[in-house]
Amino acid sequence: MTRRYWNINLKEMIEAGVHFGHGIKKWNPKMAPYISAKRKGTHITNLARTARFLSEACDLVFDAASQGKSFLIVGTKKRAADLVASAAIRARCHYVNKKWFSGMLTNWAITKTRLSQFRDLRAEEKMGKFHHLPKRDVAILKRKLSTLQRYLGGIKYMTRLPDIVIVLDQQKEYIALRECAILGIPTISLVDTNCDPDLANISIPANDDTMTSIRLILNKLVFAICEGRSLYIRNR
């Protein structure tokens, strides 16, 4: 994996609040190597470690994108939903930003069936086939389509398991991380001071509660993916 410069600087991370952890009573001892201080009852993340692991993650996604590999971004916090969707669309990644259904990856055959149903319904609606059905049936199909769009809309074009999964909240997306571990899918995860850094292949110590922190980390990763995709297109 080739190392590159991703313009990651401490001032930018401080301004985004990346360094703020949880209260000292809500912490995971495994995060001790990533904590630099305690301030007013709150742990402070070591931003030098954050910069190091974020840079490694950017190198990883750049190399993967330059080889045409696929990504899935998972972040189901309500406040981060739009951020996740816009970042994923910008980098042409799949995403889950509403709810992670248990077995979404480990029961891939079932997920593929649901996605096929979703695509068929969308096609039927676009072709005007709903107009020939009774109003009651149309209402039922539209409700089903709306539900599928809400929960599967971000992965509607995913035809196989992703090559790399990016997780924005380890505790909230624990099931997603476990499924990736079972399937051997590499993962990149933000880890706050109450998380377990051993659950992901690359853990980036950072504040996973503040939108400015999540946005900064995600934008760096998305930029690296976009750069890798550009190289892949040039070399085709």
Side-chain angles (χ1 to χ4, degrees):
M1 186 167 65
T2 306
R3 286 193 169 189
R4 292 174 175 80
Y5 176 70
W6 298 109
N7 192 28
I8 300 167
N9 64 79
L10 297 183
K11 182 181 178 182
E12 185 180 26
M13 289 194 287
I14 290 172
E15 289 175 349
V18 175
H19 58 303
F20 290 122
H22 282 268
I24 57 176
K25 293 181 180 180
K26 296 180 180 180
W27 80 301
N28 188 322
K30 289 185 178 181
M31 287 298 295
Y34 308 97
I35 295 171
S36 61
K38 299 174 185 176
R39 186 182 303 164
K40 296 181 180 179
T42 300
H43 278 127
I44 303 299
T45 299
N46 185 332
L47 291 182
R49 303 297 295 273
T50 301
R52 172 191 161 188
F53 289 109
L54 177 55
S55 181
E56 285 184 12
C58 287
D59 287 337
L60 175 65
V61 298
F62 174 88
D63 287 341
S66 68
Q67 297 168 30
K69 293 187 177 181
S70 63
F71 302 86
L72 173 63
I73 301 175
V74 184
T76 60
K77 281 183 177 176
K78 287 184 178 179
R79 290 180 298 160
D82 291 340
L83 173 63
V84 170
S86 61
I89 291 168
R90 190 164 76 247
R92 302 195 301 282
C93 298
H94 309 295
Y95 67 92
V96 174
N97 68 339
K98 296 297 182 184
K99 181 180 180 180
W100 182 271
F101 289 102
S102 181
M104 190 175 282
L105 297 181
T106 48
N107 291 328
W108 179 241
I110 294 174
T111 303
K112 276 181 70 175
T113 300
R114 288 176 178 169
L115 288 171
S116 180
Q117 292 173 348
F118 177 32
R119 288 191 288 266
D120 289 344
L121 275 176
R122 289 178 76 239
E124 288 175 10
E125 184 186 39
K126 286 183 178 180
M127 289 187 291
K129 290 188 177 182
F130 284 10
H131 299 319
H132 306 297
L133 299 174
K135 288 184 178 179
R136 183 173 177 276
D137 291 347
V138 171
I140 292 172
L141 288 173
K142 284 193 172 182
R143 278 199 300 272
K144 184 176 182 180
L145 186 58
S146 177
T147 300
L148 289 169
Q149 174 61 44
R150 178 176 175 81
Y151 295 115
L152 300 180
I155 62 170
K156 59 179 175 285
Y157 300 120
M158 195 162 80
T159 56
R160 60 182 178 83
L161 292 172
D163 295 303
I164 294 176
V165 174
I166 298 170
V167 172
L168 301 182
D169 186 324
Q170 186 195 91
Q171 293 203 332
K172 192 170 179 61
E173 320 302 348
Y174 177 79
I175 295 174
L177 277 170
R178 292 306 304 160
E179 290 190 29
C180 290
I182 291 169
L183 295 169
I185 299 172
T187 52
I188 296 168
S189 177
L190 269 70
V191 288
D192 213 325
T193 54
N194 62 337
C195 295
D196 182 348
D198 297 337
L199 294 182
N201 294 87
I202 296 182
S203 291
I204 304 169
N207 181 347
D208 64 9
D209 293 315
T210 305
M211 288 305 101
T212 51
S213 173
I214 295 172
R215 183 180 294 109
L216 186 148
I217 301 295
L218 187 55
N219 282 345
K220 296 293 184 184
L221 293 171
V222 163
F223 176 77
I225 292 171
C226 291
E227 290 292 295
R229 291 209 190 282
S230 296
L231 180 62
Y232 175 70
I233 292 170
R234 289 198 301 270
N235 292 339
R236 287 177 71 179

